[in-house]
Amino acid sequence: MSRAMTTQWQTNRNITAAFAAALAILIVVGGFSYRNILVSDESSKWVEHTRDTLKNIQMLRLSMETLSSGLRGYIISGREAYLDNYKAAKQGIEPLRLALLDLTADNPAQQSRVAALGGLIVERLERTERVIVLRRNGGMDAAVAGVRDERGEAITNEFQAIVLAMQKEEYRLLALRKAESISDVTRTKIILIAGTLLGLLVTCVAGWSVLHGSAQRQAAELATLESEERYRRLIDGVQDHAIYMLGPAGEIRSWNPGAKQITGCTWEEVAGQNFSRFFPPDDIKSGRPQEILRLAAENGLYEDQGVRVRKDGTRFLIRSTITASRTAAGELSGFNAISRDLSGTKESEAKYRGLMEAAPDAMVVVNQGGEIVLLNVQAEKQFDYRRDELLGQKVTNIIPEGFAERLIADDLRSEKDALAQQIGTGIELIALRKDKSEFPIEIMLSPLESAEGTLVTAAIRNISVRKEAEKFLAQMEGKYRGLLEAAPDAMVVVNQAGEIVLLNIQAEKQFGYRRNELLGQKVKNIIPEGFAERLVADGLRSKADALAQQIGTGIELHGRRKDGSEFPIELMLSPLASDNGILVTSAIRDITKRKKAEVHLMQKMDELNRSNEELGQFAYIASHDLQEPLRMVASYTQLLARRYKGKLDSDADEFIAFAVDGASRMQRLIQDLLLYSRVQTKGMELRETSSEEAFERALQNLRGSIQESGAVVTHEALPNVQADEMQLAQLFQNLVGNAIKYQGSGIPKIHVSAKMNGGNKWMFSVKDNGIGIDAQYFDKIFGMFQRLHKREEFAGTGIGLAICKKIVERHGGNIAVESQPGHGSTFSFALEDSQSTT
């Protein structure tokens, strides 16, 4: 009786202790949960804070774009209504900037960027106010000229760069803070659930052990017998895993159908044999099978991944889990092993094989142990190994620095974290071939989740050629970088092998490549005809001959973009002597728009040249059939520019701006063509005309340009002549307007005079102090569509002087020019005196 009471007392004590432990666990869990809830709330507040910062950055960028859009609308239309959006945006900018200062108070780097934005905003607003004044006082041309300068574009680029940097920083912080918030919530849930379950489990186990101890043991014994039978049937049904038992020395004691499927050996063929028979000879020689068993015996469990040999001699990659079995006395009785063929899994073979083999770069897949489990033919060629020589080997054999396994080798990260991390391009290191020679590579790493765990896919590119190009680039940097980047056209420098060694940002934009994708590549990839390398490729020429040859402008051919599309280009080539031999400097201009315009204009010029009657007909067609639809196109493109500025992506804004500019230039071109067509060569009566009044009318038409440029226009007393007053005014307007436009850095000074020449002829002179003209172009400048300067430097259609020539010839005279570069020009033409008989 006393013994029974003692047993009951011990049972009651166990139950009490169990419930007390469960209660203590719940209290501790509740405390930890409350603390984590507070931490989670704080993390959530920081997430919202970061989102507010991003929203303010976006609103500031949109306000600046709205300001620019309103300004452009006002410049184009001159309507004050467009300044309403401009003013509203201007008022909202400073509060947004101050809000950003407050929101980024915890981040010195962001504070610095906000300060830099403030300076750019002030500068932009000052420039904008100046442009508004120019538009009001000098018209659209003056405002456009005030907008188009390098500093305006630089401000925009700097502003965008800072905004992008701020957004990138805030997105980084948002990701960190969201992850921290999620982690806090997850941790709280885990602690709460685990603690509660643990408390309940302790209570249930205590009660269950007291009430059903004996019955449980009996049921367990019966279940064990049943489970052993089910386990045996289950093992026999497994086909994709090898499940087998080994004796203490590694002798095979059982063999399931999956083992036969993987190795090709039946139970009768392997019974009693050592499992080392499936290892490669090198592993057997090094004692690898015995080492695996030793580690499994010491640790209880060992996971191994390596190469095995099938019955037919083929090699395959396998992952094995080996568990040691011991008797009740603790003596080793054998091993249980489960193995899976990795070389045949869908994840690592069938799913990716076709893609990897088609890749132009070497592709290598590495497991968590840093061992190569998959590779393509490019990897074999690049590293000079056979495939079976690399499978199962450490990736450090070919990439000594070990970057490939860093993605998943950090013990502080979970598998989920490893999968979330993406390592992009730009990792440059040194690789090792089979013969131990080294070469530079660029590697792109990304994690891959598979049935075998987290793998790493490594795309490896041999950058030997590019590194040589970069070495040369460093040598050329000081000499040519600034010059190339300042060029408005694409600039490409090619060596004697036809490889690109230097290029500017315009080349990247024009051909759609990143700079590192073109450096070291053949120029024929972007200019299929290969003109750029012809300058130095001819073996019959000496270096001196090559240097002496200058291939000027006018080479028209087709370039090829990264996406394979072709476009017309104009190429200017010139040789360049360097320490590395003869190079070719290629200036490449996209002439797509020009070619289209030339086709259109040539069609119309054919009509112009047929007869005076057809010329009049063309004027009618241009006036009604061209101007009206073009006016509609111009109106709608301007409307698109105003309405959708900043609502689409940057490319769309740029394309719309191109369309607006192109329509405006085409309108000016058609107006000049109409003006040219109206200057008839016969059929109009000349009459006595005051050249003084015609000149004053021209100055009135040029009032805006004169005020904007500060030009000083003087003239002597001008006589009466036999002329058409409207055409004479146009003649003066074109000549004085050109004198103002083609001006150097000083103030334009123009003087108009006339003197009697030959009894009944007045010789008029229009003299300026502009940039001057080289003598070789004296005849060329009076032709149709002849331009000596780029459109970006001086606007115009190339028809103005042709109109002047036709007007003078209409009046029975001729026009000439005297000039020297840098010393101004004097245009002279003769008209009959009003007293002469016509």
Side-chain angles (χ1 to χ4, degrees):
M1 187 69 179
S2 176
R3 187 173 184 181
M5 292 179 61
T6 301
T7 303
Q8 183 64 35
W9 178 81
Q10 290 178 343
T11 301
N12 292 338
R13 187 182 64 176
N14 290 339
I15 294 173
T16 302
F19 280 105
L23 180 62
I25 290 172
L26 291 175
I27 293 173
V28 172
V29 167
F32 274 108
S33 299
Y34 178 76
R35 177 182 176 278
N36 280 321
I37 289 172
L38 295 179
V39 174
S40 177
D41 287 341
E42 183 66 20
S43 299
S44 299
K45 290 178 181 178
W46 275 111
V47 170
E48 291 303 317
H49 175 274
T50 307
R51 286 175 174 160
D52 289 342
T53 305
L54 283 168
K55 182 172 69 176
N56 276 267
I57 292 172
Q58 181 68 7
M59 290 176 65
L60 179 61
R61 184 180 68 81
L62 291 175
S63 296
M64 289 296 289
E65 292 179 352
T66 302
L67 184 145
S68 298
S69 176
L71 177 63
R72 281 194 294 272
Y74 176 67
I75 290 173
I76 294 172
S77 65
R79 294 170 56 189
E80 292 291 334
Y82 282 102
L83 293 181
D84 292 341
N85 289 341
Y86 163 81
K87 293 175 182 177
K90 179 181 177 182
Q91 292 175 355
I93 287 173
E94 183 60 18
L96 288 172
R97 190 186 69 82
L98 293 175
L100 279 176
L101 276 174
D102 183 62
L103 288 169
T104 59
D106 62 311
N107 193 327
Q110 293 289 69
Q111 288 272 290
S112 175
R113 295 186 180 108
V114 173
L117 285 179
L120 293 174
I121 290 170
V122 171
E123 187 174 356
R124 168 54 62 84
L125 291 176
E126 290 176 352
R127 292 172 57 84
T128 302
E129 293 297 333
R130 288 201 299 271
V131 171
I132 293 173
V133 172
L134 287 175
R135 180 63 179 91
R136 286 174 177 160
N137 298 334
M140 185 172 69
D141 290 340
V144 171
V147 171
R148 290 181 176 174
D149 60 13
E150 295 182 356
R151 182 54 191 161
E153 184 177 355
I155 291 173
T156 299
N157 292 338
E158 292 173 15
F159 184 90
Q160 292 292 343
I162 294 174
V163 166
L164 288 175
M166 292 186 68
Q167 288 178 326
K168 183 177 180 181
E169 173 65 12
E170 292 301 325
Y171 278 123
R172 184 185 68 81
L173 292 175
L174 180 61
L176 292 176
R177 290 165 178 172
K178 285 177 67 177
E180 184 177 353
S181 177
I182 293 172
S183 177
D184 292 337
V185 171
T186 303
R187 188 163 53 248
T188 300
K189 291 179 179 179
I190 292 173
I191 292 174
L192 185 59
I193 293 172
T196 302
L197 292 177
L198 182 60
L200 292 174
L201 180 62
V202 170
T203 304
C204 292
V205 169
W208 188 263
S209 63
V210 172
L211 298 175
H212 302 284
S214 177
Q216 186 180 29
R217 284 192 298 273
Q218 293 176 359
E221 290 175 359
L222 180 61
T224 299
L225 294 175
E226 293 176 351
S227 64
E228 286 179 355
E229 181 60 28
R230 288 197 300 269
Y231 178 69
R232 185 174 300 280
R233 290 197 301 267
L234 177 63
I235 289 177
D236 290 340
V238 174
Q239 298 291 327
D240 59 347
H241 283 70
I243 303 175
Y244 51 97
M245 295 180 62
L246 303 176
E251 63 275 16
I252 299 173
R253 291 181 174 176
S254 71
W255 196 249
N256 80 324
K260 175 185 176 182
Q261 180 74 21
I262 292 174
T263 63
C265 295
T266 64
W267 162 245
E268 291 75 16
E269 293 174 314
V270 300
Q273 295 190 22
N274 195 285
F275 84 122
S276 63
R277 63 163 290 174
F278 298 106
F279 282 74
D282 290 343
D283 285 353
I284 296 175
K285 184 177 180 180
S286 64
R288 178 63 179 165
Q290 291 75 23
E291 178 68 11
I292 291 174
L293 296 181
R294 184 185 66 80
L295 292 172
E298 288 181 357
N299 302 309
L301 180 145
Y302 181 73
E303 291 187 358
D304 172 61
Q305 183 168 302
V307 176
R308 301 292 186 268
V309 181
R310 293 188 176 94
K311 177 181 178 180
D312 60 7
T314 60
R315 298 191 177 199
F316 63 102
L317 186 65
I318 196 170
R319 171 178 286 177
S320 300
T321 301
I322 300 175
T323 305
S325 296
R326 295 186 180 275
T327 64
E331 296 179 358
L332 181 66
S333 61
F335 301 91
N336 298 319
I338 300 177
S339 299
R340 185 178 184 185
D341 183 359
L342 298 182
S343 62
T345 61
K346 292 182 180 179
E347 292 80 3
S348 61
E349 186 69 32
K351 186 177 180 180
Y352 301 107
R353 172 60 62 189
L355 179 63
M356 289 183 63
E357 293 300 340
D361 297 323
M363 302 294 293
V364 176
V365 179
V366 181
N367 64 17
Q368 295 186 14
E371 297 164 340
I372 299 172
V373 297
L374 199 61
L375 65 148
N376 66 353
V377 68
Q378 291 297 330
E380 296 183 72
K381 293 179 180 179
Q382 200 166 107
F383 293 97
D384 199 23
Y385 282 93
R386 296 194 313 276
R387 189 164 307 203
D388 61 346
E389 291 178 318
L390 283 179
L391 283 173
Q393 300 302 310
K394 292 288 186 180
V395 73
T396 51
N397 291 345
I398 59 173
I399 308 176
E401 290 83 350
F403 272 79
E405 63 265 38
R406 287 192 182 179
L407 185 65
I408 55 174
D410 189 347
D411 292 337
L412 299 178
R413 286 180 295 161
S414 66
E415 184 173 313
K416 182 178 180 181
D417 294 333
L419 283 171
Q421 180 176 356
Q422 296 289 339
I423 303 179
T425 59
I427 302 176
E428 294 185 2
L429 51 145
I430 300 298
L432 200 64
R433 296 187 182 91
K434 183 178 180 180
D435 62 5
K436 305 306 179 183
S437 61
E438 295 182 343
F439 63 101
I441 61 172
E442 182 179 67
I443 187 169
M444 180 180 70
L445 306 177
S446 62
L448 173 67
E449 188 175 17
S450 72
E452 289 77 34
T454 303
L455 306 177
V456 174
T457 300
I460 304 168
R461 175 173 297 174
N462 188 334
I463 57 172
S464 300
V465 174
R466 196 181 83 196
K467 296 303 286 185
E468 289 296 324
E470 289 175 355
K471 181 179 179 182
F472 176 76
L473 175 63
Q475 298 172 355
M476 303 290 285
E477 189 82 22
K479 290 184 178 180
Y480 303 110
R481 172 57 58 194
L483 178 62
L484 290 183
E485 294 300 344
D489 296 325
M491 300 295 293
V492 176
V493 179
V494 181
N495 64 17
Q496 295 185 27
E499 297 167 342
I500 299 172
V501 298
L502 199 61
L503 66 148
N504 66 354
I505 192 172
Q506 291 298 330
E508 297 182 68
K509 293 179 179 178
Q510 199 167 107
F511 291 97
Y513 287 90
R514 297 194 308 273
R515 188 165 306 204
N516 62 358
E517 291 179 316
L518 282 179
L519 283 174
Q521 302 303 310
K522 293 290 186 180
V523 73
K524 64 182 180 182
N525 291 345
I526 60 174
I527 308 177
E529 290 84 348
F531 273 78
E533 63 264 37
R534 287 190 182 179
L535 187 65
V536 294
D538 189 348
L540 299 178
R541 288 179 295 159
S542 65
K543 287 187 178 181
D545 293 334
L547 283 172
Q549 178 177 358
Q550 296 289 336
I551 304 178
T553 58
I555 302 177
E556 294 186 1
L557 52 148
H558 281 82
R560 181 184 293 158
R561 299 184 182 93
K562 183 179 180 180
D563 62 8
S565 60
E566 294 189 348
F567 62 105
I569 61 174
E570 184 177 71
L571 188 68
M572 181 178 71
L573 305 176
S574 62
L576 174 67
S578 74
D579 295 338
N580 297 85
I582 304 297
L583 305 176
V584 175
T585 301
S586 308
I588 305 169
R589 176 173 296 175
D590 185 345
I591 57 173
T592 303
K593 294 181 180 178
R594 192 181 83 191
K595 297 300 288 185
K596 291 180 179 178
E598 286 176 357
V599 171
H600 179 75
L601 290 176
M602 287 303 296
Q603 294 171 350
K604 296 307 176 184
M605 286 306 298
D606 288 341
E607 298 176 14
L608 278 172
N609 293 331
R610 289 173 186 171
S611 66
N612 289 331
E613 181 179 352
E614 291 177 349
L615 185 62
Q617 184 180 6
F618 168 71
Y620 178 85
I621 292 173
S623 175
H624 294 278
D625 294 348
L626 291 179
Q627 286 198 87
E628 185 59 31
L630 186 58
R631 190 179 297 113
M632 182 181 297
V633 171
S635 299
Y636 277 108
T637 52
Q638 290 172 6
L639 179 62
L640 286 173
R642 293 193 300 270
R643 179 169 296 178
Y644 295 100
K645 176 65 178 178
K647 297 181 180 180
L648 305 174
D649 58 31
S650 59
D651 286 343
D653 290 343
E654 184 180 10
F655 297 156
I656 292 174
F658 284 160
V660 171
D661 181 64
S664 299
R665 286 193 285 111
M666 185 60 75
Q667 285 180 315
R668 292 196 297 272
L669 180 61
I670 291 176
Q671 290 168 1
D672 283 353
L673 284 172
L674 287 173
L675 182 60
Y676 183 86
S677 68
R678 293 191 187 105
V679 183
Q680 300 182 20
T681 57
K682 60 180 179 179
M684 289 187 66
E685 181 180 342
L686 302 181
R687 64 187 66 185
E688 183 177 355
T689 302
S690 170
S691 61
E692 184 94 21
E693 292 180 0
F695 179 68
E696 291 297 335
R697 177 177 293 181
L699 294 184
Q700 183 68 20
N701 293 338
L702 293 169
R703 183 175 66 249
S705 297
I706 293 173
Q707 291 177 352
E708 180 184 349
S709 64
V712 177
V713 183
T714 59
H715 71 282
E716 299 173 4
L718 301 179
N720 292 344
V721 294
Q722 291 292 113
D724 181 283
E725 184 178 356
M726 294 297 293
Q727 293 184 12
L728 183 57
Q730 185 66 52
L731 176 61
F732 281 126
Q733 181 176 331
N734 284 9
L735 292 176
V736 175
N738 276 359
I740 294 173
K741 178 166 62 175
Y742 294 104
Q743 177 63 32
S745 58
I747 297 175
K749 295 181 180 180
I750 302 99
H751 182 71
V752 180
S753 61
K755 64 179 180 179
M756 184 61 70
N757 180 23
N760 64 344
K761 293 277 189 180
W762 285 97
M763 182 62 70
F764 288 78
S765 297
V766 180
K767 184 177 182 180
D768 64 60
N769 65 336
I771 61 177
I773 305 169
D774 194 292
Q776 64 178 313
Y777 301 119
F778 283 177
D779 293 332
K780 180 179 179 181
I781 61 175
F782 293 106
M784 288 286 286
F785 309 114
Q786 297 299 318
R787 298 176 55 85
L788 303 184
H789 306 279
K790 297 178 181 178
R791 185 174 287 105
E792 294 84 2
E793 297 174 330
F794 299 102
T797 61
I799 303 176
L801 288 178
I803 293 174
C804 293
K805 183 175 183 291
K806 192 170 184 181
I807 290 174
V808 173
E809 291 176 347
R810 155 74 180 87
H811 289 75
N814 53 55
I815 187 170
V817 62
E818 295 180 1
S819 179
Q820 290 183 3
H823 296 282
S825 304
T826 300
F827 286 84
S828 303
F829 58 90
L831 298 177
E832 285 189 11
D833 183 70
S834 62
Q835 302 301 320
S836 65
T837 301
T838 59

